[in-house]
Amino acid sequence: NRKTKMNPTMGVGVFAITVRDGALKFLAGRRMPDAVRGAGVWALPGGMMNPAVENAKECGVREVKEETDLDLDFDPSDADPEFIHPLL
C-alpha cells in the first residue's frame, strides 16, 4: 500500500530570464559545498513554501532575495500556470 502524506509540502523554483547587451541571461547559483543535496552544482533559486503565510509568488520573491540578495520585480501575468505544480 502506498502511504499518502498528511501534510504535503510545496516547493517553488524560480526561472528568471532577461536580455542584456543583446544576450539572453538567466539566474542560477552554485550550491554550497556542504549542501545536503547537489553540493557544488548549479541550480535555480527556490525552496519550500509555507502556504499558511505565503503564496507561490511571495515564496519565489523571498527565495530569490535569500539566495541572491536580488529584489525580484515579478509580474504575475508573466507566470505560466502550466509550470505551477504541487510536489506530491
Side-chain angles (χ1 to χ4, degrees):
N1 292 337
R2 185 174 170 194
K3 292 185 178 182
T4 304
K5 285 186 177 182
M6 295 301 292
N7 296 311
T9 57
M10 294 186 73
V12 171
V14 178
F15 184 69
I17 59 174
T18 189
V19 176
R20 288 200 179 158
D21 301 323
L24 186 66
K25 308 280 184 174
F26 71 95
L27 182 62
R30 191 173 292 247
R31 293 189 187 269
M32 299 296 289
D34 59 350
V36 174
R37 283 186 262 152
V41 301
W42 290 95
L44 299 175
M48 301 312 294
M49 182 178 89
N50 181 346
V53 297
E54 63 188 351
N55 60 33
K57 174 195 167 200
E58 293 165 337
C59 178
V61 169
R62 175 181 57 76
E63 287 291 340
V64 168
K65 181 66 173 176
E66 286 177 5
E67 296 180 18
T68 68
D69 201 32
L70 295 173
D71 294 310
L72 186 62
D73 183 15
F74 180 82
D75 181 351
S77 66
D78 292 338
D80 185 340
E82 293 295 318
F83 292 106
I84 300 174
H85 300 285
L87 298 175
L88 301 176

